[in-house]
């Protein structure tokens, strides 16, 4: 085949790949746009989208230190100004950006391994299921991968042509990527290490230019943070929280919610972590001080439990290598439930890509540009080991692995054709070994690959919106994946209560192993702990009986008797000699019609305080409410005897009137 025909075929093949790329993504969008992934935004997706709406409406990036990265909502706001269909505009903008990544990937691979490998890499990217997924969700991954490939392109140009422009531009691109996800800053030291190792003294100058480019781009964000928080943060002040999430006694290597979080949504996460610091230290703190506190806590745990840290880090490495896209927002597996495209292409995941990519990196270890590529992968691996593993956080290595994976495929086939069987076998053995490693069915990864949490989150948002029909269907879908999930049963029961179908609600409460009353007590317990004064929150076990009595009596006066029972029960447990606490406890039980319990409390109390007429008076009313008028009258007589022994004539008169009124009620009933 002559050169002209080869070029025509090359263009035709690329045209086919581009058509396939757009077809798969547009069909995928046609599925998700009418489904919960696009119609019910949750957690980070909702936060970014609402932030972008405020930016598009002219409200700016906000008056506080950045907890989440600002570049992505700025990017989304561009699409919102181009179309009234905001979600569709955002997705189409991401698909176009992803097409730019396709072009950069093709050129990057071709520079290293030739045209055929470039075509293979392009085809792999077009059908790579996680890429299709990220292009159709409101998350930063698509933007970051594009910027990563752009940075690699500039680094290649610097290595080929030299000059300060390319290295400075590469630094600016890394800075932009850091404004979308701060862990991109890891590329500055790892790339600087390559530059210094290769160019020695000049490498220091190149590194300085690289860092200067990044600082130029991140300076506005740092200035914003300084003006609104008083300290310089290049991007966000969430590093401390993220460090603690990945390094604490309960860390498992993935994103986990702390027990004090009211919600994983960024609106609440930052505030809840800050509130927990204030609870622990006993005074108010700034967001900056909160971040530092959690950073110190993470390092304290590492120092105190190096063995536990080593185990957790090993888990992070294994999870980083695993095929599962570990979620920390809307998951691949939840979106897959609604996308025929993802269900069709699920087979091509990280567990297939990574073995080819890593073997390709090994085969190219002596070639130009290898050090930059391998250090990029190593940098993002280190970032995951420092913090925690999430599919979105490792996604930036996809471009390198696709390029070198395509190189591995082309070179292995070439070796087979050239009868270099042993070298080809070594490559295939390496791929096979990594396939086994990357596809180990870890129990934790199997658990998180269920879409049940997505269904639950979508259902919760629907419930909060008052969309009861969708909420019931989505909670039911969550339970289809985990029939024993008590919280989902409880939430579904509450939806049925709102829909006024008590029979269905009762069955869901029963499935959760709880009654309405028990649930109410649990919820009230949680509410009590939230409304206690901050000074008492440090350690509830250290709250005095007197303090609890004061709060419980206040609830009684407000006729919030459920809350009063919970607090006063603690007061009595802490000090059974506190007679006022016992009385207030009995009164709250009586008000809730828990007469047997109230009677026991009053009767025990009467033995301890033989002179107070109020106790037999309350016993009389409990007997009366229980339908025992005779015993009620006997209790009133005891109350009258005790009242007559009071030293104050005024008190005796008041009690006579009160007891006469009660007796008339009992006798005329």
């Amino acid at each position: 085949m002559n050169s002209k025909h080869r070029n025509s075929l090359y263009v035709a093949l690329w045209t086919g790949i581009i058509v396939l790329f757009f077809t798969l993504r547009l069909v995928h969008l046609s599925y998700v746009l009418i489904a919960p992934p696009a119609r019910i935004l949750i957690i980070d997706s909702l936060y970014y989208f609402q932030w972008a709406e405020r930016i598009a409406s002219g409200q700016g990036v906000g008056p506080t230190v950045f907890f989440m990265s600002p570049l992505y909502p700025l990017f989304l706001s561009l699409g919102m100004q181009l179309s009234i269909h905001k979600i569709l505009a955002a997705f189409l903008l991401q698909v176009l950006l992803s097409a730019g990544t396709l072009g950069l990937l093709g050129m990057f691979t071709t520079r290293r391994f030739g045209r055929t490998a470039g075509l293979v890499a392009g085809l792999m990217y077009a059908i790579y299921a996680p890429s299709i997924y990220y292009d159709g969700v409101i998350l930063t991954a698509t933007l970051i991968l594009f910027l990563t490939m752009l940075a690699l392109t500039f680094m290649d140009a610097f290595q080929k042509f030299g000059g300060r422009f390319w290295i400075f531009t590469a630094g600016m691109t890394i800075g932009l990527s850091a404004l979308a996800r701060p862990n991109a800053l890891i590329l500055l030291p790892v790339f600087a290490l390559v530059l210094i190792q290769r160019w020695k003294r000049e490498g220091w100058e190149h590194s300085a230019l690289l860092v200067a480019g990044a600082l130029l781009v991140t300076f506005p964000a740092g200035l914003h943070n300084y003006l609104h928080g008083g300290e310089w943060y290049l991007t966000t002040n969430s590093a401390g929280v993220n460090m603690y999430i990945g390094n604490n006694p309960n860390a498992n290597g993935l994103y986990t919610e702390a027990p004090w979080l009211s919600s994983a949504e960024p609106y609440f996460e930052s505030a809840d972590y800050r509130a927990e610091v204030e609870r622990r230290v006993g005074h108010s703190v700034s967001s900056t001080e909160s971040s530092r506190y959690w950073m110190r806590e993470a390092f304290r745990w590492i120092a105190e439990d190096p063995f536990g840290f080593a185990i957790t880090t090993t888990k992070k490495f294994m999870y980083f290598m695993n095929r599962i896209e570990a979620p920390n927002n809307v998951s691949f597996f939840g979106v897959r439930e609604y996308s025929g495209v993802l269900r069709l292409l699920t087979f091509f995941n990280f567990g297939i890509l990574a073995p080819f990519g890593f073997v390709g990196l090994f085969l190219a270890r002596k070639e130009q540009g290898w050090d930059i590529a391998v250090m990029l992968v190593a940098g993002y691996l280190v970032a995951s080991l420092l913090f925690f593993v999430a599919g979105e956080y490792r996604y930036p290595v996809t471009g390198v692995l696709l390029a070198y994976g395509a190189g591995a495929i082309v070179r292995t086939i070439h070796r087979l054709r050239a009868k270099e069987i042993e070298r080809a076998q070594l490559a295939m053995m390496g791929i096979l070994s990594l396939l086994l490693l990357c596809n180990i069915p870890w129990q934790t990864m199997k658990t998180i690959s269920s879409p049940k949490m997505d269904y639950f989150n979508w259902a919760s948002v629907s419930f909060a919106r008052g969309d009861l029909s969708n909420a019931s269907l989505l909670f039911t879908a969550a339970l289809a994946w985990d029939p024993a999930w008590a919280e989902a049963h409880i939430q579904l029961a509450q939806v049925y209560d709102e829909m006024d179908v008590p029979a269905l609600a009762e069955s869901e409460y029963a499935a959760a192993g709880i009654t309405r009353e028990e649930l109410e007590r649990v919820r009230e317990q949680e509410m009590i702990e939230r409304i206690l004064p901050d000074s008492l929150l440090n350690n509830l076990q250290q709250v005095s009986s007197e303090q609890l009595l004061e709060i419980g009596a206040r609830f009684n006066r407000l006729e919030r008797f459920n809350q009063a029972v919970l607090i006063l029960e603690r007061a009595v447990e802490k000090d059974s000699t506190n007679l006022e606490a016992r009385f207030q406890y009995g009164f709250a039980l009586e008000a809730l019609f828990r007469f047997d319990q109230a009677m026991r409390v009053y009767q025990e109390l009467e033995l301890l305080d033989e002179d107070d007429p109020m106790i037999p008076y309350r016993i009389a009313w409990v007997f009366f409410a229980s339908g025992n008028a005779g015993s009620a009258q006997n209790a009133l007589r005891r109350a009258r005897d005790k009242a007559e022994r009071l030293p104050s004539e005024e008190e005796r008169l008041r009690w006579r009137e009160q007891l006469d009124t009660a007796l008339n009620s009992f006798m005329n009933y």
Side-chain angles (χ1 to χ4, degrees):
M1 185 182 296
N2 60 37
S3 176
K4 182 178 180 180
H5 287 160
R6 282 198 299 270
N7 288 337
S8 297
L9 177 61
Y10 181 70
V11 171
L13 289 173
W14 262 115
T15 301
I17 289 170
I18 292 170
V19 170
L20 177 64
F21 170 90
F22 280 107
T23 299
L24 290 174
R25 280 154 178 79
L26 293 177
V27 172
H28 169 71
L29 292 185
S30 72
Y31 285 116
V32 300
L33 282 168
I34 59 174
R39 298 177 68 87
I40 309 175
L41 300 183
I42 59 174
I43 315 176
D44 287 6
S45 296
L46 178 62
Y47 184 89
Y48 281 130
F49 188 78
Q50 292 178 338
W51 192 359
E53 286 184 312
R54 293 194 297 272
I55 294 172
S57 67
Q59 297 179 45
V61 293
T64 60
V65 175
F66 294 134
F67 182 75
M68 300 287 283
S69 303
L71 182 64
Y72 185 61
L74 284 167
F75 169 74
L76 290 180
S77 69
L78 174 63
M80 291 179 177
Q81 296 179 54
L82 298 176
S83 172
I84 60 172
H85 303 290
K86 297 176 182 178
I87 294 288
L88 175 60
F91 287 166
L92 291 177
L93 202 58
Q94 289 188 163
V95 169
L96 290 175
L97 197 65
S98 187
T101 301
L102 174 65
L104 293 171
L105 173 64
M107 293 187 291
F108 180 83
T109 310
T110 301
R111 287 194 298 272
R112 281 159 173 73
F113 307 109
R115 283 184 166 187
T116 301
L119 287 167
V120 173
L123 177 61
M124 292 167 69
Y125 183 66
I127 66 172
Y128 186 50
S131 289
I132 298 171
Y133 152 70
Y134 284 119
D135 288 351
V137 291
I138 304 297
L139 292 173
T140 62
T142 294
L143 175 60
I144 293 174
L145 182 59
F146 172 79
L147 292 171
T148 302
M149 293 309 301
L150 194 60
L152 287 175
T153 300
F154 291 143
M155 292 297 291
D156 276 1
F158 168 72
Q159 292 181 89
K160 182 176 181 180
F161 304 113
R164 297 178 176 180
F165 171 78
W166 296 114
I167 193 70
F168 186 76
T169 308
M172 292 177 65
T173 308
I174 293 171
L176 284 173
S177 187
L179 290 177
R181 177 69 64 185
N183 64 354
L185 291 173
I186 195 75
L187 298 183
L188 295 177
V190 300
F191 282 3
L193 184 63
V194 172
L195 295 171
I196 293 168
Q197 184 179 16
R198 182 180 298 183
W199 281 283
K200 308 305 179 186
R201 181 177 178 181
E202 290 183 352
W204 286 97
E205 298 176 4
H206 300 328
S207 300
L209 280 173
L210 184 76
V211 173
L215 290 177
L216 178 65
V217 171
T218 57
F219 176 78
L223 179 61
H224 171 93
N225 291 334
Y226 176 77
L227 293 175
H228 294 284
E231 293 193 47
W232 287 94
Y233 280 92
L234 285 179
T235 54
T236 68
N237 70 345
S238 57
V241 169
N242 287 328
M243 187 72 178
Y244 180 80
I245 290 171
N247 300 279
N248 69 76
N250 299 312
N252 67 356
L254 305 171
Y255 177 84
T256 53
E257 290 186 21
W260 53 81
L261 280 188
S262 59
S263 169
E265 294 182 19
Y267 287 114
F268 303 103
E269 188 175 32
S270 176
D272 288 346
Y273 268 97
R274 181 175 170 181
E276 177 64 13
V277 176
E278 293 176 343
R279 187 188 72 81
R280 293 185 181 191
V281 302
H283 58 79
S284 61
V285 298
S286 67
S287 56
T288 297
E289 291 169 330
S290 172
S291 181
R292 288 178 176 173
Y293 176 90
W294 294 115
M295 185 68 75
R296 289 195 302 270
E297 284 295 291
F299 282 113
R300 183 179 62 81
W301 173 74
I302 292 170
E304 292 178 354
D305 190 5
F307 183 69
F309 171 68
I311 292 175
T312 303
T313 303
T314 302
K315 288 181 180 179
K316 291 176 186 178
F317 175 79
M318 299 307 296
Y319 296 160
F320 183 92
M321 297 294 294
N322 197 262
R323 66 184 178 85
I324 299 297
E325 293 293 313
N328 61 329
N329 295 286
V330 59
S331 79
F332 172 88
F333 309 99
V335 177
R336 185 182 63 183
E337 290 294 291
Y338 294 94
S339 172
V341 174
L342 291 186
R343 290 195 295 273
L344 177 66
L345 298 174
T346 296
F347 72 92
F348 189 27
N349 52 51
F350 193 83
I352 301 297
L353 171 62
F356 287 93
F358 284 115
V359 168
L361 281 167
F362 177 78
L363 295 177
R365 63 191 180 280
K366 296 181 180 180
E367 299 174 4
Q368 184 180 13
W370 173 85
D371 46 5
I372 290 291
V374 77
M375 289 302 283
L376 182 143
V377 175
Y380 276 106
L381 171 59
V382 168
S384 293
L385 298 182
L386 282 174
F387 298 100
F388 56 88
V389 175
E392 186 183 355
Y393 295 174
R394 79 176 175 193
Y395 186 64
V397 308
T398 298
V400 168
L401 295 181
L402 283 167
Y404 282 84
I409 293 171
V410 170
R411 286 183 169 178
T412 301
I413 293 174
H414 175 76
R415 287 175 178 178
L416 289 171
R417 287 179 174 176
K419 308 300 182 182
E420 298 176 7
I421 304 300
E422 291 185 2
R423 296 180 67 189
Q425 285 178 334
L426 286 174
M428 289 188 289
M429 288 175 61
I431 291 170
L432 180 59
S433 299
L434 286 172
L435 280 170
L436 295 174
L437 174 69
C438 294
N439 290 277
I440 295 175
W442 302 110
Q443 183 58 48
T444 299
M445 303 306 275
K446 289 174 66 177
T447 300
I448 65 174
S449 65
S450 164
K452 69 173 189 176
M453 199 67 226
D454 295 288
Y455 282 125
F456 185 88
N457 287 331
W458 290 325
S460 298
V461 173
S462 298
F463 191 15
R465 291 177 177 174
D467 186 356
L468 301 180
S469 297
N470 261 334
S472 63
L473 291 172
L474 290 165
F475 279 129
T476 302
L479 287 167
W481 285 90
D482 186 357
W485 194 359
E487 183 61 27
H489 280 295
I490 290 171
Q491 293 293 327
L492 181 56
Q494 293 179 321
V495 171
Y496 286 144
D497 275 336
E498 290 291 320
M499 296 173 74
D500 198 23
V501 280
L504 291 177
E506 289 291 347
S507 68
E508 294 302 323
Y509 284 125
I514 195 170
T515 65
R516 275 193 180 86
E517 293 73 20
E518 290 169 336
L519 175 64
E520 184 178 348
R521 292 195 67 191
V522 170
R523 297 290 193 238
E524 287 167 351
Q525 177 80 31
E526 295 171 350
M527 185 189 73
I528 289 296
E529 295 185 0
R530 286 198 299 271
I531 65 175
L532 285 173
D534 290 343
S535 60
L536 304 182
L537 278 175
N538 287 332
N539 190 338
L540 288 174
Q541 297 303 318
Q542 296 179 3
V543 179
S544 70
S545 176
E546 289 75 13
Q547 290 172 309
L548 291 172
L549 168 59
E550 181 183 351
I551 297 168
R554 187 181 307 162
F555 279 135
N556 272 340
R557 289 193 295 273
L558 294 172
E559 298 185 357
R560 295 169 64 178
F561 300 114
N562 281 304
Q563 295 92 327
V565 164
L566 292 171
I567 290 295
L568 293 165
E569 187 174 32
R570 288 190 179 186
V572 173
E573 288 173 357
K574 294 180 77 66
D575 183 4
S576 61
T577 66
N578 191 323
L579 301 186
E580 179 63 20
R582 284 191 173 211
F583 178 80
Q584 292 286 346
Y585 179 46
F587 184 80
L589 290 169
E590 179 188 350
L592 291 172
F593 307 106
R594 293 160 65 176
F595 297 128
D596 289 343
Q597 292 173 277
M599 181 65 75
R600 285 195 296 271
V601 172
Y602 287 145
Q603 288 174 338
E604 291 173 0
L605 192 57
E606 189 174 17
L607 294 175
L608 296 172
D609 188 355
E610 298 178 353
D611 298 325
D612 188 353
M614 179 59 75
I615 300 170
Y617 177 73
R618 294 310 325 162
I619 291 175
W621 278 107
V622 171
F623 275 131
F624 179 68
S626 302
N628 191 340
S631 295
Q633 293 178 38
N634 288 333
L636 277 186
R637 292 190 188 99
R638 293 202 310 276
R640 187 181 296 275
D641 290 341
K642 294 180 181 183
E644 291 300 329
R645 295 198 295 267
L646 292 173
S648 168
E649 178 63 25
E650 183 179 349
E651 282 292 299
R652 291 196 296 270
L653 288 173
R654 184 181 66 80
W655 268 107
R656 288 168 190 159
E657 293 176 1
Q658 186 171 332
L659 292 169
D660 286 342
T661 301
L663 183 60
N664 288 333
S665 298
F666 295 169
M667 296 184 68
N668 295 323
Y669 177 68

